[in-house]
């Protein structure tokens, strides 16, 4: 796809492959006139519990530290955790039909269903079409002001809501998250194949909970057995974009809403892959 593509063939002048043979590009939901989003990156997996939200949060912080304007769209409507990681407890504000995202301490724009609920612990008991509609509204009705990279924290699985996201939002790349167990790796393969079916470009794989480092000798211990991530990257010819350890400090940072204070360079390769899709930073991080 051409770099100047607007994801809308009716208004786009780029001569990309979507026009070849008279084919019609997907009709994505349109941003409002007050918003600009450069590239959209989905962080996904075939199942829950592997750390998609952690990877999304750490990647957003890493990109922000490089000076990019970053946003996180929390598409896991029934299990939102992004506001907790960033220490955001207030509610999103709205005006004249528009919703304004919350902003983290370092300037990351965040939208999540928990920012609209009266109580963060209230369950969201909705069916798939309603969940998908809410995610679309997060795209169309939220004022995303001059964003270089938007990260979408995807819901788990390959069902209705992920399908709706891929078909209605202009996803420019996908990072899939796995953990060392072979069962999880097999399920992640399903997410990779789903992306291929929908022509979503795969950026690579991040493995979470890869090891724990002994605080005394520094030896890396494989708590969940030997990693199978090499099998995944070989099978699908994908780069390995990072291996996150089991780190009590990371867990404590998320619990304290202080993920922006983390120390570590585990996701620098993932940030490189995302940055390669866009332009130079438009602002300097605070």
């Amino acid at each position: 796809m051409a770099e100047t593509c607007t994801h809308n063939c009716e208004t786009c002048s780029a001569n990309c492959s979507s026009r070849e043979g008279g084919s019609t590009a997907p009709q994505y939901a349109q941003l409002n006139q007050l918003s600009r989003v450069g590239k959209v990156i989905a962080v996904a997996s075939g199942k829950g519990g592997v750390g998609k939200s952690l990877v999304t949060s750490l990647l957003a912080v890493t990109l922000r530290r490089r000076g990019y304007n970053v946003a996180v769209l929390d598409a896991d409507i029934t299990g939102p955790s992004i506001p907790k990681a960033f220490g955001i407890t207030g509610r999103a504000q709205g005006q004249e039909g528009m919703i304004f995202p919350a902003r983290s301490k370092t300037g990351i724009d965040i939208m999540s269903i928990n920012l609209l609920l009266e109580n963060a612990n209230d369950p969201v008991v909705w069916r798939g079409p309603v969940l998908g509609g809410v995610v679309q509204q997060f795209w169309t009705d939220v004022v995303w002001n001059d964003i270089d990279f938007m990260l979408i924290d995807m819901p788990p699985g390959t069902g209705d809501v992920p399908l709706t996201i891929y078909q209605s939002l202009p996803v420019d790349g996908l990072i899939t998250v796995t953990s060392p167990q072979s069962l999880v790796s097999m399920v992640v393969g399903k997410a990779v194949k789903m992306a291929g079916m929908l022509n979503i470009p795969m950026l690579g794989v991040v493995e979470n909970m890869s090891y724990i480092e002994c605080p005394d000798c520094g030896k890396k211990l494989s708590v969940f057995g030997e990693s199978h991530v090499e099998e995944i990257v070989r099978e699908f010819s994908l780069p390995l974009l990072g291996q996150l350890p089991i780190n009590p400090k990371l867990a404590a940072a998320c619990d304290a809403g202080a993920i922006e204070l983390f120390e570590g360079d585990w996701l620098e390769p993932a940030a490189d892959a995302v940055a390669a899709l866009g332009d130079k930073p438009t602002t300097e991080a605070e």
Side-chain angles (χ1 to χ4, degrees), residues 54 58 207-213 220-221 242-248 250-251 263-264 266-267:
L54 175 63
L58 292 177
E207 184 181 62
N208 187 33
M209 299 179 282
S210 297
Y211 58 89
I212 187 168
E213 186 172 319
K220 294 181 179 180
L221 306 175
Q243 291 179 287
L244 289 172
I246 300 173
N247 190 318
L250 276 180
E263 297 179 0
W266 306 293
L267 290 185

Side-chain angles (χ1 to χ4, degrees), residues 50-64:
V50 298
K52 293 184 300 297
S53 297
L54 175 63
V55 171
T56 301
S57 301
L58 292 177
L59 182 55
V61 174
T62 302
L63 289 168
R64 182 61 185 149

Side-chain angles (χ1 to χ4, degrees), residues 102-263:
R103 178 159 289 189
S104 74
K105 297 178 181 66
T106 64
I108 298 172
D109 285 350
I110 294 171
M111 191 63 220
S112 171
I113 192 65
N114 263 15
L115 302 180
L116 300 177
L117 300 176
E118 184 174 350
N119 298 302
N121 292 330
D122 289 345
V124 177
V125 188
W126 298 338
R127 295 189 182 274
V130 178
L131 298 174
V134 170
V135 175
Q136 287 189 52
Q137 284 187 286
F138 283 175
W139 173 257
T140 60
D141 295 355
V142 173
V143 178
W144 301 108
N145 185 24
D146 200 24
I147 300 300
D148 296 315
F149 296 110
M150 173 181 285
L151 305 181
I152 301 179
D153 185 19
M154 295 287 291
T158 57
D160 186 54
V161 179
L163 181 61
T164 298
I165 293 170
Y166 291 143
Q167 291 183 329
S168 59
L169 272 63
V171 179
D172 297 288
L174 186 147
I175 294 173
T176 187
V177 182
T178 184
S179 61
Q181 302 97 315
S182 59
L183 174 62
V184 174
S185 299
M186 179 271 293
V187 175
V188 170
K190 296 179 182 291
V192 174
K193 291 182 179 180
M194 179 183 184
M197 293 170 60
L198 297 171
N199 297 317
I200 305 296
M202 285 296 308
L203 298 185
V205 178
V206 171
E207 184 181 62
N208 187 33
M209 299 179 282
S210 297
Y211 58 89
I212 187 168
E213 186 172 319
C214 176
D216 296 324
C217 67
K219 183 179 179 179
K220 294 181 179 180
L221 306 175
S222 300
V223 178
F224 295 111
E226 293 303 316
S227 171
H228 294 267
V229 71
E230 295 294 342
E231 300 172 11
I232 286 284
V233 297
R234 281 199 305 268
E235 180 179 357
F236 297 103
S237 300
L238 295 171
L240 178 59
L241 299 179
Q243 291 179 287
L244 289 172
I246 300 173
N247 190 318
K249 291 183 179 180
L250 276 180
C254 289
D255 290 343
I259 195 65
E260 290 166 294
L261 300 180
F262 90 95
E263 297 179 0

